[in-house]
Amino acid sequence: MAAQINPSILSADFARLADEAKAVEGADWLHVDVMDNHFVPNLTLGVPVVESLARATETPLDCHLMIEAPDRWAPQYVEAGAGSVTFHVEAAAAPVRLAREIRAKGARASMALRPATPIEPFEDLLPELDMVLIMTVEPGFGGQAFLDIMLPKIRRTRELISKHGLDLWLQVDGGVAASTIERCAEAGADVFVAGSAVYGADDPAAAVRALRAQADAVTATAGWACGH
């Protein structure tokens, strides 16, 4: 699978969200960070803004819920127009049931893990998912430096996906930029969330294309991608 670039609107101008969404219409998805000031120490946006974004852009929405009680709230984001909904396994009461509900409503179901959360205890959940998100910073704020210590975890996650023969996307989020994306791709990631690396560029659409080209070049020769 070709690399996918998901610009994060957390780094966009919130006063011009419709314009900022249009500025990256060549992206694969638009990443929407939902924070509740409980699960993470920041407050961003919610269902009404997602509904507005869904009307303002043809780019599908990838909603990352950094919130408490995702079992209650995640289905509403599908109804609001999200094409992919990610919940944190640390916050979910019944992750399998939640993933099935998200899928039943017509969206892709994704599970996110904070840096300190290992992937191995959740190996049996992987067949219930469409994507796994490995956080490469501590969730809550944009603009943080990439954590290199997450690379082995990305590799282990890719190994588990391959072990079970799953068609499962592996997303990374946090500090993804021209200087880090190749390491993530080599480790096994194929979906990349980029915030300031895209919205901090003079030409956000060109930044998306450049990041995708970097990741694709590495994936073409990466051992994990052979025969993928």
Side-chain angles (χ1 to χ4, degrees):
M1 187 188 78
Q4 298 186 62
I5 306 299
N6 300 11
S8 171
I9 64 164
L10 186 63
S11 297
D13 182 349
F14 273 33
R16 303 172 52 251
L17 283 185
D19 291 337
E20 297 283 63
K22 287 182 171 61
V24 294
E25 284 189 339
D28 299 279
W29 296 76
L30 187 64
H31 191 81
V32 183
D33 289 306
V34 177
M35 306 182 193
D36 64 357
N37 199 33
H38 294 286
F39 181 72
V40 293
N42 197 3
L43 184 65
T44 54
L45 46 81
V47 169
V49 175
V50 171
E51 289 176 336
S52 296
L53 274 171
R55 292 192 297 267
T57 180
E58 295 183 2
T59 305
L61 302 183
D62 168 32
C63 285
H64 177 194
L65 308 185
M66 289 168 271
I67 62 174
E68 292 182 348
D71 305 75
R72 174 184 177 187
W73 297 109
Q76 294 188 32
Y77 285 88
V78 183
E79 295 165 4
S84 176
V85 176
T86 299
F87 60 87
H88 269 266
V89 71
E90 302 93 347
V96 171
R97 183 177 64 196
L98 178 55
R100 291 181 177 180
E101 185 173 2
I102 291 169
R103 283 174 149 183
K105 286 183 173 291
R108 296 178 62 85
S110 171
M111 176 182 75
L113 291 82
R114 301 180 88 141
T117 303
I119 183 63
E120 287 78 9
F122 306 103
E123 178 178 354
D124 291 343
L125 274 65
L126 297 181
E128 302 288 342
L129 303 167
D130 298 294
M131 184 170 74
V132 174
L133 167 54
I134 301 298
M135 291 299 299
T136 45
V137 298
E138 191 63 41
F141 293 93
Q144 298 183 63
F146 179 82
L147 294 174
D148 286 275
I149 57 172
M150 291 297 102
L151 291 170
K153 183 175 171 181
I154 296 169
R155 291 191 183 94
R156 295 196 306 273
T157 303
R158 174 55 67 186
E159 288 168 0
L160 290 177
I161 292 170
S162 298
K163 171 185 172 182
H164 293 282
L166 300 172
D167 183 17
L168 192 64
W169 297 352
L170 178 49
Q171 185 180 67
V172 288
D173 180 3
V176 174
S179 60
T180 58
I181 193 168
E182 293 180 5
R183 279 175 280 164
C184 294
E186 189 278 330
D190 51 17
V191 184
F192 306 87
V193 177
S196 53
V198 170
Y199 280 112
D202 292 335
D203 185 340
V208 168
R209 293 192 295 271
L211 288 169
R212 187 186 289 118
Q214 277 188 275
D216 278 341
V218 172
T219 301
T221 59
W224 67 264
C226 293
H228 180 60

